[in-house]
Amino acid sequence: MIFLIIFSFVIFILLINVFRISLYMFEINTVIGKALKEDEEEIGVISNHFNDYKEDTSSYDFNTAHSASQLNYVDAFKSGNLKNSDWDEGINILLTGSDKYNSHESRSRSDVIIVVRINKQGQVLSFSIPRDTLIEVTDSAGRKHQDKIGHSMYWSGLDGLKESVELFIGSPIYRVVIIDNFRSFEAFLAILGGVDIDKRLEGKLGIQWIRNRMFRFGDIERCRRQQVFMKKALIKLWKITKGGNYFISSVLFYNMRKVVQTDLTTDDFRKIWYLFKTTDFSPETEVFTAVLPGHFGVYNSKLLRKNNLSCWIPEEGFSEKLHLLFYAENRNENFLKEIKIDKTKILKMDLHLL
């Protein structure tokens, strides 16, 4: 009799969670349907059991645009906490957004360039390369020019941007995620139930916040604030998925792929997710953020046929430091291949989370 009561209770709890997940899936599909429409109807956030987690923002004046330092941004490159031995084996995922829709099909410039490094300990380093960073760019005819890294996409498409980033950091890009549609970003915020920083980021306000560069250091400060957002968003994602529940995480991954362009495969996702699960991943402590250090300068652009344009000149020798930090040779290729998923283990972990 006691066994029957316990069994019935377990089934009841499972049914409740199945209902919650089904409702969440339905709401996600509704949001994505709105995002794929061409009209400009603002996308409202999903508010339910999975994304009701909110940060305490009561100490902020919502009418003020706060700097990254006021939002507790810590630059991992400056903190001295990154050890080469911790990051020499892992994969790089390039996150980029352009100034045009369907940037992979037409000439455009990259507005956002973020490299996400995931190491074998299940730690994440997210760092921004400012779009105005001055590097040597190769155009479609194979000629080399001093130009902004954000112009690489214009000179030779997404492959050109990818190659420029690889040369700069001295490590191969494993996969690429492209967000070239503001509606996609609205949908992302909606699926998360909004992100709380110094404002409640959702809909068009979220877009305005992430693009704001009305600060003394302009785009550099925008990069820093975007890194604050990256960490907050990852914390929210981990909360929504109940600490990485496989089924909920899979639902999110499947649907996120509808509103972004990416070559991340389902197998990639499963192995990255499994790495996080088995290393006790905590985004509060295992996610590090940074922005490429440097200073402002000027250069002459052959692309725009203009002289004395503002640019961001990387700190001397910093590219070589990145080469040492991400030194991997062929280890990037084998990093995910070596991960073997124990299905029994993850089932036990997920049942515990529910």
Side-chain angles (χ1 to χ4, degrees), residues 2-39:
I2 295 175
F3 174 78
L4 183 60
I5 292 172
I6 294 174
F7 179 75
S8 299
F9 179 73
V10 170
I11 294 298
F12 176 71
I13 295 297
L14 287 174
L15 287 174
I16 288 176
N17 280 282
V18 168
F19 173 76
R20 286 171 172 170
I21 293 171
S22 299
L23 178 61
Y24 189 41
M25 289 172 63
F26 173 78
E27 291 176 324
I28 288 175
N29 284 326
T30 302
V31 159
I32 290 173
K34 289 181 180 179
L36 297 177
K37 289 181 181 177
E38 294 183 1
D39 59 60

Side-chain angles (χ1 to χ4, degrees), residues 91 174 268 271-272 332-339:
I91 56 167
Y174 181 73
D268 292 333
K271 292 189 174 183
I272 293 170
N332 285 292
E333 288 290 325
N334 298 323
F335 176 66
L336 290 184
K337 291 179 182 178
E338 293 173 356
I339 295 177

